Amino acid sequence: MNKIRNVAVIAHVDHGKTTLTDKMIHYCQDIGEKLPEGDLILDNNDQERERGITIFAKNITVNYKGYKINLIDTPGHADFGGEVERVLNMADGVLILVDAFEGAMPQTRYVTQKALELGLKPIVVVNKVDKENCRPDEVQEDVFELMFNLDATEEQLDFETVYGSAKHNWMGAEWDKPADDISYLLDKIIEVIPEPPVNEGPLQMQITTIDYSSYVGRIAIGRVHRGEINMTMPISLVKRDGSVVRSKIKEIFVFNGLGKQKVEKVECGDLCAITGIADFEIGDTICHFEHPEALPAITIDEPTMSMLFTINNSPMFGKEGDFVTSRHIKERLEKETERNLALRVEQGATPEAFIVYGRGIMHLSVVIETMRREGYELQVGKPRVIIKEIDGVKCEPVEALTIDVPEEFSGKVIEAITRRKGDLLIMEPKGDLIHLEFEIPSRGLIGVRTVLMNLSAGEAIIAHRFDRFEPWKGDIPSRNKGVLVSMEQGNAFAYAMDKLQDRGKFFISPQSEVYEGMIVGEHTRDSDLCVNLTKAKKMSNMRSSGADDKTKLAPPTVFSLEECMEYIAEDEYVEVTPKSIRLRKILLKENERKRATSPSMAIS
């Protein structure tokens, strides 16, 4: 076992974790092994490639100088912290990756705290030292200060620092002396990261990840904490609720390169994948048949946001999706909770509605986008933060928000955040940018990214993480514009849209199919306006001045799924189908909406 090293790679989003892991795979590849073409071969999920971020933690193995290094690539976005929390149990050490310019960002602090609490040995990797205005020495000191503030032990504070550029394929002891390759980092992993401890006694292995194969079904992945595991041996599965299920292992695999290799047995300290066990969940413990002794449960931080998921009941219902009923949606959400520990699902007020709890808008949007691509049709409501009552006081989640922005935009950014109940804590120069740190209610973050990007001409660098619950901070101003709502069903005509351009901006193009109650644009005023876009130009044999002028329409505003979720008001839904994303009013008919908003007929 002294030839095994289990290492997790953790960092803030876009600091280079997956790029570095890729370079290590390429450097250590076995002769003759064919690697996939292109960059970021670990980001193999469609959404990961499109968004340019890691969403799911992944296990790969590289062989270097006779050592087997199990690498765990983790997500960097705060919304996917649940993925990081569960896989850190498999590691003995961590590579804490920081950008040589940005330094320790909010998610770096969050995952570093989790790693230090588990007693993992850190190696700090200062990446991207080739960037302009980089400050590697200051960043290294910032990381030391961060770890000191997180109550790291003396041994953890005595960490090794490696400098380099994963993009340019080198790592070395000094940032201003580029090396030839990344072997220095691999040598440090072997030297610094401890070998897995050999715990004598009956088998214990905690399931931290679930994989699936259409041939063998569900696959349990985890680390053998005690004893050894053999093929075809009978085992006891201790579930999170304490119940014990007897089962038998069919096949055992260890990680080898990008794939898996079938073996007869796995010893203490190694990572493995197991088939043949039924009805298991993340956090369950695989034990010796006669000694069912569970490991401590994996603790996952609670969700901070909820959304209503319901069936699609719009006039477009069933035209594009294969799975449209509440039973389909319920089964898919329950399946998602098996592997997505940070997600929770509850039955809503009606049989067709479900309340889904998650870490943030991106966390929930990834679930919705995945369902959409699998052929599901559904509607989702406005995201809501989770409110708690602590000692009789109404409390809401508060987040730490950091913004790096050019100085000329800093005043507008501070004004926008303070309007959303944000408190400015730190304002200091950082290279050619101004570094701002705020405390802000999670409610204030809904829609803030679009606002800040518009204010800063797209140059703001924004990051946030959940901090704690604080007493309710009062009302926060929401969307200050009304919407244009279609009053007829049919195809939108350019002639009708041209006549309405002075009333607002459109979200649809000419010839788009619309229906009564569908939101087709944003009004210039703070009230909603019903419009008829299906009115065509009447044909006649009379000519008039300017009749032959071409219709000139401004390009429509196209929202992403997350932007739609942030944009809608309480009385609106986002309709999601495999081919379309539409905005609509919950009550489609205008007279029903008026009746619902009148004081005498208000809906509770």
Side-chain angles (χ1 to χ4, degrees), residues 12 19 23 91 111 126 163 170 185 189 216 314 352 355-356 362 371 424 440 480 495 559:
H12 187 78
T19 303
K23 298 300 183 185
V111 292
V126 180
Y163 300 92
W170 70 269
L185 175 60
I189 290 174
V216 298
S314 81
E352 300 87 28
I355 308 297
V356 180
M362 182 174 280
M371 293 175 65
L424 180 63
I440 183 171
N480 58 2
Y495 171 77
F559 287 147

Side-chain angles (χ1 to χ4, degrees), residues 27 56 63 70 118 124 196 220 229 236 260 298 301 310 359 388 395 424 472 487 565:
Y27 185 80
F56 305 107
N63 294 298
N70 290 315
L118 290 169
V124 174
I229 192 165
S236 292
K260 301 183 184 77
I298 298 174
D301 286 354
T310 186
R359 283 283 182 85
K388 283 186 176 182
C395 296
L424 180 63
W472 182 263
M487 58 193 296
M565 292 160 62

Side-chain angles (χ1 to χ4, degrees), residues 2 68 136 160 187 261 270 297 366 440 473 480 493 527:
N2 59 2
K68 178 182 181 181
E160 293 277 353
D187 290 332
Q261 177 185 351
D270 206 353
V366 166
I440 183 171
K473 293 184 179 290
N480 58 2
F493 286 103
S527 58

Side-chain angles (χ1 to χ4, degrees), residues 405-414 436 454-460:
V405 67
E407 186 174 359
E408 63 265 31
F409 304 120
S410 59
K412 292 179 180 179
V413 167
I414 293 170
L436 307 170
N454 290 336
L455 289 176
S456 65
E459 293 195 42

Side-chain angles (χ1 to χ4, degrees), residues 151-205:
D151 297 326
T153 64
E154 286 189 20
E155 185 183 4
Q156 288 171 329
L157 286 173
D158 187 23
F159 56 80
E160 293 277 353
T161 304
V162 178
Y163 300 92
S165 169
K167 183 179 179 180
H168 292 106
N169 200 26
W170 70 269
M171 288 286 155
E174 298 179 45
W175 68 270
D176 52 354
K177 295 180 181 177
D180 297 326
D181 51 42
I182 61 166
S183 58
Y184 181 81
L185 175 60
L186 293 164
D187 290 332
K188 283 297 175 186
I189 290 174
I190 293 170
E191 176 190 331
V192 174
I193 304 299
E195 62 197 53
V198 178
N199 301 315
E200 298 293 339
L203 168 67
Q204 272 188 323
M205 171 185 155

Side-chain angles (χ1 to χ4, degrees), residues 360-403:
I361 285 180
M362 182 174 280
H363 182 210
L364 293 166
S365 75
V366 166
V367 174
I368 297 167
E369 183 66 28
T370 303
M371 293 175 65
R372 175 189 174 211
R373 295 182 184 205
E374 292 173 0
Y376 287 82
E377 278 192 17
L378 67 153
Q379 295 180 144
V380 296
K382 184 176 177 64
R384 298 180 179 180
V385 298
I386 296 172
I387 308 300
K388 283 186 176 182
E389 190 168 303
I390 302 173
D391 298 330
V393 179
K394 180 182 177 184
C395 296
E396 64 176 334
V398 171
E399 307 211 14
L401 171 69
T402 64
I403 303 170

Side-chain angles (χ1 to χ4, degrees), residues 285-297:
T285 306
I286 296 172
C287 305
H288 190 277
F289 187 78
E290 296 176 356
H291 299 88
E293 184 183 347
L295 285 162

